[in-house]
């Protein structure tokens, strides 16, 4: 097994996973609230493992060549990102007193957290493009044990990042949960979600308008 291929996988995987996205925002928020945050990190990492493996070992070509499937994923993602952005914007616009009153409502059980992690992963088109198509096309260029090493490297990057983000957010929870800081995070997440949704919509429009 090539250490160089593993390191390449780790570096590329990290570059795809670390940029702020729906998964990261969800993991961050669960960490701040210390609400089953390690479960959230575990679910996101396992799902990434499944999709990375699917992409590197053959699924990437299937998704990228199926225009209907890719379009369906993109439309679903636009709707999801818009909805998630509205939730974050709504949270940012709440008064501090209302945020305090809603803390117990926002605290969710393990099952609800798992379903949330599934949603931000499976309904996120960037996840398919990054892990299945891009990582799959690059990983598919390796042969034999090198391909396995590359896959392991990308999977390790996912586990390391999500657990680091989750535990870091939990540790800094008292600071990050202050009203002004939390409002800033919610506004940033909302802006990011709307930006990604608009970008995807523009790409879809230009594809069919051409």
């Amino acid at each position: 097994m090539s250490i160089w291929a593993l390191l390449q996988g780790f570096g590329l995987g990290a570059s795809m996973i670390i940029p702020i996205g729906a998964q990261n925002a969800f993991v961050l928020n669960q960490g701040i609230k210390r609400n089953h945050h390690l479960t959230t990190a575990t679910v996101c990492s396992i799902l990434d493992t499944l999709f990375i493996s699917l992409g590197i070992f053959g699924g990437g070509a299937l998704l990228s060549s199926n225009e209907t499937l890719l379009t369906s994923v993109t439309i679903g993602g636009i709707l999801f990102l818009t909805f998630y952005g509205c939730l974050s914007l709504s949270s940012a616009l709440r008064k501090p007193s209302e945020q305090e009153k809603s803390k117990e409502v926002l605290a969710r059980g393990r099952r609800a957290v798992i379903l949330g992690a599934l949603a931000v992963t499976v309904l996120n088109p960037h996840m398919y493009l990054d892990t299945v198509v891009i990582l799959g096309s690059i990983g598919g260029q390796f042969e034999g044990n090198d391909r396995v090493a590359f896959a392991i490297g990308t999977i390790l990057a996912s586990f390391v990042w999500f657990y680091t983000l989750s535990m870091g957010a939990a540790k800094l929870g008292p600071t990050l949960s202050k009203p002004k800081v939390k409002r800033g995070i919610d506004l940033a997440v909302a802006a990011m979600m709307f930006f990604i949704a608009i970008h995807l919509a523009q790409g879809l429009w230009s594809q069919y308008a051409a």
Side-chain angles (χ1 to χ4, degrees):
M1 184 179 294
S2 170
I3 297 297
W4 175 240
L6 188 147
L7 292 176
Q8 279 184 292
F10 187 91
L12 187 58
S15 70
M16 293 290 176
I17 296 165
I18 290 177
I20 294 296
Q23 272 185 317
N24 290 338
F26 187 76
V27 173
L28 179 65
N29 281 326
Q30 295 306 118
I32 291 173
K33 292 182 289 186
R34 300 185 182 183
N35 184 33
H36 301 295
H37 55 290
L38 293 181
T39 297
T40 305
T42 300
V43 172
C44 288
S45 298
I46 290 175
L47 289 172
D48 271 12
T49 297
L50 293 175
F51 286 110
I52 287 170
S53 300
L54 176 66
I56 292 176
F57 297 103
L62 175 64
L63 181 61
S64 59
S65 63
N66 191 323
E67 186 176 330
T68 302
L69 180 58
L70 198 56
T71 299
S72 299
V73 169
T74 303
I75 292 173
I78 291 169
L79 295 175
F80 168 73
L81 291 168
T82 301
F83 174 73
Y84 199 99
C86 289
L87 286 180
S88 296
L89 183 60
S90 175
S91 177
L93 295 177
R94 284 196 194 102
K95 296 178 181 179
S97 57
E98 293 175 341
Q99 290 179 351
E100 289 295 323
K101 290 179 182 178
S102 65
K103 277 185 178 179
E104 291 185 8
V105 177
L106 291 173
R108 295 180 285 182
R110 189 183 300 273
R111 182 179 179 183
V113 168
I114 291 173
L115 290 175
L118 283 167
V120 297
T121 302
V122 177
L123 297 178
N124 181 7
H126 271 201
M127 187 279 303
Y128 292 96
L129 295 174
D130 291 345
T131 62
V132 179
V133 177
I134 298 177
L135 289 178
S137 62
I138 296 174
Q141 298 175 14
F142 291 87
E143 298 291 339
N145 290 336
D146 284 347
R147 183 181 296 188
V148 174
F150 181 85
I152 291 174
T154 57
I155 290 168
L156 280 175
S158 176
F159 275 90
V160 169
W161 170 247
F162 284 128
Y163 276 97
T164 299
L165 179 62
S166 177
M167 291 187 287
K171 188 172 183 179
L172 296 173
T175 300
L176 297 177
S177 60
K178 289 180 179 179
K180 288 185 179 180
V181 178
K182 184 66 169 59
R183 181 177 291 110
I185 292 174
D186 286 333
L187 285 173
V189 169
M192 174 192 62
M193 295 301 168
F194 291 142
F195 174 80
I196 296 174
I198 291 171
H199 178 72
L200 289 172
Q202 288 176 335
L204 199 62
W205 173 260
S206 63
Q207 177 183 340
Y208 285 93

